[in-house]
Amino acid sequence: MTETEIKSMIDKDLYESILNAFTWEKVREQKNYYYTDKAGILREKRIMVRIRVVGEVAKIQVKLHKNENSPLQICEENEFETEEVPDIINAELAKEITGEDVGELYKMGCAVTKRNSLVHNGSELCLDKTTYFDKTDYEVEVEYEEKISADLLMKLTSLGVRFNEKCVGKFSRFLAEYKNQE
């Protein structure tokens, strides 16, 4: 599945403004457990592996990022069923899910996101508050398939959201903080 979205990092005040400006259809907590290979091959190839847990359901998600340096994110995303969140994903399964022969994958840690979401004119608006290690950040994203909702974009812009800069994704932010922990 190809995922197309625009994202923007926002501060806590703008997060609160957006939170209060919409009627949210869903509010959920999701835990993302990120994995890496020892040699960093997946990172070089812009492949991210995580296990996302929402409630009692866990899924392995693999994303291949197709573009850089843009607020527009285009990713090829695949999901696989799993019943656990292991410390190590064995080499055979790692190759099966990524298509790369990288050996075992190691769990780096967890990011917890409170996600508010709604669908408007075919676009999904997600407002995220994410905590990892000792850091909390805020992000707004609009996912769409063919055409982004213009009125949704206008409302977000009127609230102060700017989608004109590259937005560093959750995994990259997590990875930067992970390196600071070492």
Side-chain angles (χ1 to χ4, degrees):
M1 169 182 88
T2 300
E3 175 184 80
T4 305
E5 61 190 10
I6 57 171
K7 299 180 174 196
S8 181
M9 296 298 301
I10 56 177
D11 64 22
K12 186 177 182 181
D13 290 339
L14 185 50
Y15 171 87
E16 295 291 337
S17 295
I18 297 167
L19 188 63
N20 295 321
F22 293 92
T23 302
W24 301 97
E25 296 166 359
K26 292 184 199 170
V27 179
R28 70 179 192 199
E29 180 180 275
Q30 59 191 37
K31 293 180 179 176
N32 291 323
Y33 297 88
Y34 292 106
Y35 290 81
T36 190
D37 60 288
K38 275 191 176 173
I41 295 167
L42 295 179
R43 178 85 175 130
E44 286 175 17
K45 294 189 174 195
R46 301 181 46 78
I47 299 171
M48 183 273 305
V49 177
R50 69 181 172 210
I51 295 179
R52 175 172 283 172
V53 179
V54 179
E56 300 296 316
V57 178
K59 292 187 179 182
I60 300 172
Q61 296 179 326
V62 180
K63 281 188 173 188
L64 169 61
H65 294 268
K66 297 196 169 206
N67 65 331
E68 292 185 77
N69 301 319
S70 170
L72 177 67
Q73 302 285 310
I74 301 172
C75 301
E76 197 64 40
E77 184 174 319
N78 293 298
E79 286 189 340
F80 305 87
E81 298 296 323
T82 187
E83 297 195 8
E84 61 179 348
V85 181
D87 289 333
I88 297 173
I89 295 175
N90 70 53
E92 183 181 326
L93 179 57
K95 185 173 184 177
E96 180 184 326
I97 63 175
T98 66
E100 301 289 335
D101 192 6
V102 295
E104 295 176 326
L105 302 182
Y106 301 90
K107 183 168 63 175
M108 302 165 64
C110 180
V112 179
T113 299
K114 178 183 177 191
R115 171 165 280 188
N116 293 272
S117 63
L118 62 86
V119 176
H120 180 79
N121 290 340
S123 296
E124 182 179 19
L125 173 62
C126 299
L127 182 65
D128 293 347
K129 175 182 178 181
T130 302
T131 304
Y132 44 99
F133 304 109
D134 294 327
K135 186 173 180 71
T136 299
D137 62 34
Y138 306 90
E139 175 182 58
V140 61
E141 62 184 55
V142 180
E143 294 183 22
Y144 59 97
E145 287 188 20
E146 293 177 20
K147 189 177 173 194
I148 195 165
S149 168
D151 57 330
L152 180 58
L153 210 50
M154 285 184 0
K155 182 161 186 175
L156 290 168
T157 301
S158 74
L159 290 168
V161 177
R162 301 289 174 255
F163 290 108
N164 54 0
E165 296 178 17
K166 177 185 185 275
C167 180
V168 176
K170 283 183 188 68
F171 177 62
S172 294
R173 298 190 312 264
F174 175 90
L175 188 59
E177 202 61 29
Y178 175 81
K179 288 177 181 176
N180 287 338
Q181 305 296 312
E182 293 180 331

